[in-house]
């Protein structure tokens, strides 16, 4: 039986994993982001205010900073400017509830590399960071961004999915949902976990959206084949090869 493979983490030119600093005054936000980024193989530190962020950055020397605009001491733009003075090449991704056009413009004009507003998809945040890091010269070994579970394969770079010899066309959300399932084969995932990872953080408990997209995936992945997506009643869903 084929064992699932996960992509190699992005790494620095010296071969070490990339370093991410997450700055937000909401512990739930930093905990969730740090958890998923650690799962990517990245080194992560967190800070709850601007002063701590700057002190941590001097010691940790991050490759990228995920930065809230609204902090209890310094404005996020002030933190950005201070970071840029000390390390001009650091990638900065704003992650904030301030979604007005003028706020986006201010963030980018001040030197931010990208801007994502809350509520957000965790997969989108990871995808934006991967793009910034690759453009900054952080790389992964070629050909490793492929997931395999049984006869189901996913090329994350090309965004191609195949089951056996058949190519499967997926929408963006279907792709992200399947990617989360394939990164956790044989593990039962609750609806809350899926909501947090695939859709916006704190999606309001609307678990019916998970049920709907699971049904979409089943029609494309399992139609006419031995099912791989299984419901564990009262718990959630699990993806596993037919012989498991």
């Amino acid at each position: 039986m084929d064992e699932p493979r996960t992509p190699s983490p992005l790494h620095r030119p010296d071969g070490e994993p990339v370093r991410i600093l997450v700055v937000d005054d909401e512990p739930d936000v930093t905990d969730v982001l740090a958890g998923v980024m650690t799962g990517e193989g990245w080194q992560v530190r967190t800070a709850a205010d601007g002063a701590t962020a700057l002190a941590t950055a001097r010691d940790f020397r991050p490759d990228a900073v995920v930065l809230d605009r609204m902090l209890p001491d310094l404005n996020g733009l002030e933190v950005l400017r201070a970071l840029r003075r000390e390390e001009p090449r650091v990638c900065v991704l704003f992650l904030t509830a301030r979604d007005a056009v003028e706020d986006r413009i201010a963030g980018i004009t001040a030197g931010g590399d990208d801007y994502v507003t809350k509520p957000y998809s965790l997969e989108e945040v990871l995808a934006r960071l991967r793009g910034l890091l690759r453009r900054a010269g952080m790389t992964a070994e070629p050909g490793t961004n492929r997931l395999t579970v049984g006869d189901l394969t996913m090329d994350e770079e090309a965004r191609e999915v195949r089951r056996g010899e058949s190519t499967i066309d997926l929408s963006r959300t279907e792709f992200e949902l399947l990617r989360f399932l394939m990164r956790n084969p044989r593990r039962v995932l609750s609806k809350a976990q899926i909501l947090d990872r695939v859709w916006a953080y704190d999606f309001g408990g609307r678990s019916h959206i998970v049920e709907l997209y699971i049904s979409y995936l089943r029609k494309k992945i399992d139609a006419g084949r031995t099912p791989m997506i299984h419901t564990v009643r009262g718990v959630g869903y699990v993806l596993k090869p037919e012989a498991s």
Side-chain angles (χ1 to χ4, degrees):
M1 182 188 304
D2 291 335
E3 289 298 319
R5 291 176 290 170
T6 54
S8 297
L10 293 168
H11 59 73
R12 313 174 89 191
D14 61 5
E16 292 295 314
V18 296
R19 299 173 184 175
I20 311 293
L21 173 60
V22 181
V23 186
D24 197 296
D25 62 346
E26 297 182 47
D28 288 345
V29 172
T30 54
D31 288 349
V32 170
L33 289 172
V36 297
M37 291 175 188
T38 300
E40 292 288 308
W42 303 343
Q43 294 181 14
V44 186
R45 291 194 186 174
T46 63
D49 56 64
T52 303
L54 294 175
T56 302
R58 293 186 192 102
D59 173 63
F60 185 49
R61 300 189 64 82
D63 302 297
V65 178
V66 178
L67 180 61
D68 190 7
R69 278 285 303 272
M70 297 178 289
L71 297 169
D73 53 354
L74 303 175
N75 181 286
L77 298 181
E78 295 176 305
V79 175
L80 169 62
R81 295 186 184 104
L83 287 169
R84 285 277 188 248
R85 285 195 295 269
E86 298 191 22
E87 182 48 70
R89 297 181 61 185
V90 67
C91 302
V92 177
L93 171 68
F94 277 114
L95 191 63
T96 177
R98 300 184 64 164
D99 59 356
V101 173
E102 55 267 29
D103 290 320
R104 292 172 180 263
I105 292 173
I108 299 302
T109 301
D113 296 290
D114 208 343
Y115 201 106
V116 177
T117 58
K118 302 175 183 178
Y120 52 82
S121 159
L122 290 169
E123 283 295 345
E124 179 185 6
V125 173
L126 292 177
R128 299 283 188 97
L129 278 173
R130 291 188 199 106
L132 292 177
L133 290 165
R134 287 194 177 97
R135 289 195 291 275
M138 312 299 165
T139 61
E141 294 299 322
T144 56
N145 288 345
R146 182 180 296 273
L147 302 175
T148 302
V149 180
D151 64 349
L152 182 65
T153 61
M154 170 182 286
D155 186 323
E156 296 186 288
E157 289 295 316
R159 299 188 74 82
E160 293 178 352
V161 175
R162 298 180 67 86
R163 183 159 184 194
E165 299 301 316
S166 301
T167 300
I168 300 170
D169 293 323
L170 299 177
S171 69
R172 177 184 176 280
T173 302
E174 290 167 349
F175 185 91
E176 300 301 346
L177 174 56
L178 181 61
R179 171 155 54 184
F180 186 41
L181 293 172
M182 292 186 71
R183 285 184 173 179
N184 295 274
R186 304 177 182 86
R187 175 187 172 193
V188 179
L189 301 170
S190 70
K191 293 177 183 177
Q193 288 175 308
I194 294 172
L195 280 172
D196 279 348
R197 186 64 190 262
V198 180
W199 281 271
Y201 172 74
D202 191 15
F203 199 75
R206 288 173 278 184
S207 61
H208 67 278
I209 195 73
V210 177
E211 299 168 7
L212 181 63
Y213 273 87
I214 286 289
S215 71
Y216 292 162
L217 269 188
R218 279 181 166 142
K219 291 175 183 177
K220 296 183 177 183
I221 300 298
D222 289 343
R225 307 177 179 94
T226 302
M228 291 184 68
I229 302 173
H230 304 271
T231 300
V232 179
R233 191 172 300 278
V235 183
Y237 302 97
V238 59
L239 178 78
K240 58 183 179 179
E242 56 190 80
S244 294

